[in-house]
Structures are given as C-alpha cells and as structure tokens.
C-alpha cells in the first residue's frame, strides 16, 4: 500500500480562519496540507480531510521537555568542552571557562544547555569513553553545585557517558546517532525517563560528507526518524519523551539541507517536538558567503526564522544572544509588543 506523507502548510498570520487547526499546540496554524508520495506529484488538500490519527499527531500540544514548555520557541545553547569542535573547539575545554560560558549562555537567553565532549563534525574521530566522561561530567556537576537554573542536556552517542552525565545532574539526552552507535543508549533512556533527542545522520562523522545520497531526502529522513521512534517505543520509551532532529549537515549536501529546511513542517507528523540544529553550519557559509564559522550568526538567524515560521520548537545555537534578540523581534512582529 502506498505510503502518504502529510506536510502542514504552516502559517503565522493574524488573519486566521475559523476552520484552521493549531500546529503542535504552538504558534502556527494551518488549514491546508501538502500531500506527498514517493511515486506521484504532490497535491494540496484541506486540513479537514486529514485522517484522524494524522490530525492528532499534527495538532496535539507537545509536552514539556525537562520542565521547559514548548508553546513558544526555545533556545538550546551549545557548550562544547572539546579541543576540536568545528566552531569553538578549545575555547571552553577548561572547567572554569566552561562554567563561565554556561552562565553567559543562560544570561543571554538559553533555555537549555547542551554539553558535548566529543566533536561529531565532518571528519572528526571518535573519543574514548573515559575521556568524554572526564570532559563532561565534572562540568555538569559543577554547574549543579553552582545552582545553574536551566536544564542540562548531554550531547553524546555513548550510553556510559550519558549515564554518568545523568548522575552528575543532566536532565536530557541528545544522541546524534539516534541510538544506533551504542544500542545500550535505549536502556539508559528507558531506565532514567529522561527525554532523548534522536537525530538523523547518514554514516559516521569520519566519512559522512564523502558522498551523501538520498532517493528523496525529506521523505528518507522522515522515514528514518519514524522507525527510530517506533524502536524507542518498543523498548518502553514514551513518544512524549522523544525529540526529533532531522540532522542538518550530518551526511547531507547544501541542497539536501535546504530541501529539509523547506519541508520542516513535515516532521510535526512524528508527534514529537522538533529540534533544529543549523548553527554556523558549513552550508550557511557556502550560501551566505561567510568562510569563517564564527561569522555565520546572521545566516543562522535567517534559517532559525524559517524554522519558527514552520513551528519548530527547539533551536540549538552557539550565538545565543543574537538568536534570542532575533526571536524577540520575530515574536513582537507576529504577536505584538508591550513596553
């Protein structure tokens, strides 16, 4: 039987018809849907014609993530305690510098802090578990001792690193391999009850940008995430505890990335919050003419705003202050401003 895909045509205009549906309990609405199929032309159908199960997944409000509600855009601040991350490697790999940076990100507007001890940029090599734990767990523990008042996510592919981070005070898991690199990650997520972000990546960091290919990148990534979410549910992880990430830049060309961004609203059909991680990515530099990664904040903001217009709830960024300012202006334009 032919599989059908339903991409809500998200809108934020104040002139909302009475028949419109609210997208994922957030700030977007839709009254039309693009019906996609692998062997056939797309067509536009009224939202009223959606199958009931699809309608529920697209419309049901998303539950909180680590205590953070998702009825407004949320910023996940990136803290890489690594010597070799593509943008900020070596800047915060000393504990005192990492802690100072964490508080700066929080003050600038980060709702969640994402700490990573292993670079997964294209070409990066694997870090030993013990080293990754030594980089991340002490920083998390120190932040908790210092009364850091935002939830902390651990960015790791490894179950033991995740377990130690949770012990130190992390509240969320962020696995760029969607629990494929280390299948025991399923047990950590299930036993802890911590929310987990499952990301799509084609291949390992060492080789993922060599020659990425897809039949249809939007539908292929959607199917992959749907399968990984189903596996998580089979192991007792509730869908409400899962965040989906299409994995911009992970085994994808610039054209693949742009196609995913144009179609982001499709991923609401997974029935999970969606995380967008585009910050300072190479394609932003290629399209925007910014060779150096730390010069890509304007391009990051442009893509973030495209995500906001499609209802994407969580935005993982380096330049928190700049993105937070942009979101405040976007929100004031869309919903008004009170002095």
């Amino acid at each position: 039987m032919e599989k059908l895909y339903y991409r809500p045509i998200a809108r934020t205009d104040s002139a909302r018809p009475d028949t419109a549906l609210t997208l994922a309990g957030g700030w977007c609405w839709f009254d039309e849907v693009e019906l996609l199929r692998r062997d056939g032309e797309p067509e536009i159908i009224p939202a009223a014609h959606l199958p009931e199960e699809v309608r529920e997944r697209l419309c049901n409000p998303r539950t909180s993530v680590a205590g953070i509600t998702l009825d407004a855009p949320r910023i996940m601040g990136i803290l890489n305690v690594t010597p070799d991350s593509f943008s900020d490697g070596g800047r915060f790999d000393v504990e005192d510098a990492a802690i100072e940076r964490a508080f700066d990100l929080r003050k600038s507007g980060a709702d969640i802090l994402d700490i990573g001890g292993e670079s997964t940029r294209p070409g990066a090599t694997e870090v030993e578990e013990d080293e990754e734990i030594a980089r991340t767990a002490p920083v998390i523990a120190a932040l908790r001792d210092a009364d850091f008042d935002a939830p902390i996510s651990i960015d790791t592919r490894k179950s033991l690193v995740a377990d130690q981070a949770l012990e130190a005070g992390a509240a969320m898991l962020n696995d760029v391999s969607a629990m494929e690199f280390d299948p025991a990650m399923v047990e950590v997520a299930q036993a802890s009850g911590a929310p987990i972000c499952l990301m799509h990546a084609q291949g390992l960091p060492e080789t993922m940008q060599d020659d990425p290919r897809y039949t249809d990148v939007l539908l292929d990534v959607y199917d992959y995430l749907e399968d990984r979410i189903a596996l998580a549910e089979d192991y007792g992880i509730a869908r409400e505890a899962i965040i989906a990430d299409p994995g911009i830049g992970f085994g994808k060309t610039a054209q693949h990335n742009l196609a995913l961004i144009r179609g982001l609203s499709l991923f609401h059909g997974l029935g999970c919050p969606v995380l967008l991680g585009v910050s300072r990515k190479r394609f932003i530099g290629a399209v925007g003419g910014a060779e150096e990664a730390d010069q890509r904040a304007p391009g990051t903001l442009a893509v973030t705003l495209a995500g906001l217009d499609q209802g994407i709830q969580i935005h993982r960024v380096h330049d928190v202050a700049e993105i937070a300012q942009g979101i405040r202006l976007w929100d004031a334009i869309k919903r008004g401003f009170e002095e």
Side-chain angles (χ1 to χ4, degrees), residues 37-328:
R37 47 173 64 88
R38 289 189 178 272
D39 298 315
E41 293 298 314
E43 59 181 295
I44 306 299
I45 64 171
H49 293 179
L50 284 170
E52 185 59 31
E53 181 183 1
V54 174
R55 176 182 173 133
E56 288 181 2
R57 285 201 174 169
L58 289 174
C59 295
N60 284 350
R62 304 309 186 225
T63 57
S64 299
V65 170
I68 303 296
T69 61
L70 299 176
D71 55 349
R74 303 301 178 192
I75 294 176
M76 173 182 275
I78 298 169
L79 179 57
N80 290 317
V81 288
T82 57
D84 60 342
S85 290
F86 82 96
S87 175
D88 55 2
R91 292 186 61 194
F92 311 113
D93 59 346
V94 176
E95 186 173 313
D96 288 346
I99 293 167
E100 182 179 358
R101 177 62 173 170
F103 278 96
D104 285 346
L105 291 171
R106 177 63 174 144
K107 184 178 180 181
S108 296
D111 300 291
I112 305 170
L113 184 69
D114 193 41
I115 295 181
E118 177 186 55
S119 176
T120 49
R121 61 177 171 77
T125 56
E126 183 181 346
V127 174
E128 294 294 328
E129 281 182 341
D130 289 348
E131 175 64 21
E132 193 175 342
I133 291 168
R135 291 176 181 179
T136 54
V139 173
I140 295 168
L143 286 170
R144 286 294 169 235
D145 289 343
D147 295 325
F148 186 75
D149 67 345
I152 296 172
S153 165
I154 178 65
D155 176 8
T156 185
R157 304 177 290 171
K158 305 183 184 80
S159 61
L160 186 58
V161 178
D163 185 66
Q164 291 299 302
L166 293 171
E167 286 287 330
M172 176 177 165
L173 308 172
N174 184 12
D175 185 348
V176 299
S177 78
M179 305 189 298
E180 281 201 272
F181 183 83
D182 181 355
M185 187 71 81
V186 174
E187 300 170 15
V188 174
Q190 191 277 330
S192 67
I196 183 167
C197 183
L198 303 179
M199 194 194 81
H200 173 275
Q202 188 182 92
L204 295 171
E206 292 88 339
T207 58
M208 65 185 178
Q209 290 302 116
D210 288 354
D211 186 25
R213 295 172 182 263
Y214 297 88
T215 303
D216 181 312
V217 66
L218 182 63
L219 303 186
D220 290 355
V221 172
Y222 183 92
D223 284 347
Y224 173 86
L225 290 172
E226 187 176 52
D227 288 345
R228 299 309 292 175
I229 290 167
L231 179 141
E233 287 189 308
D234 286 344
Y235 278 89
I237 301 171
R239 189 175 291 258
E240 292 76 19
I242 299 170
I243 303 99
D245 179 352
I248 302 297
F250 282 78
K252 299 168 183 77
T253 65
Q255 291 300 330
H256 292 147
N257 292 327
L258 294 170
L260 286 169
I261 291 162
R262 284 192 293 270
L264 279 172
S265 62
L266 175 71
F267 294 99
H268 292 295
L270 296 169
C272 303
V274 182
L275 184 149
L276 183 62
V278 298
S279 186
R280 301 183 179 180
K281 292 288 174 73
R282 183 181 302 175
F283 85 98
I284 291 176
V287 175
E291 185 173 344
E292 299 299 325
D294 62 2
Q295 298 300 310
R296 297 172 188 166
T300 299
L301 177 58
V303 180
T304 299
L305 296 177
L308 294 179
D309 280 340
Q310 296 187 64
I312 303 304
Q313 295 98 345
I314 305 173
H315 300 266
R316 183 180 182 273
V317 300
H318 299 84
D319 302 295
V320 169
E322 292 83 350
I323 302 305
Q325 182 184 110
I327 290 176
R328 285 194 294 271

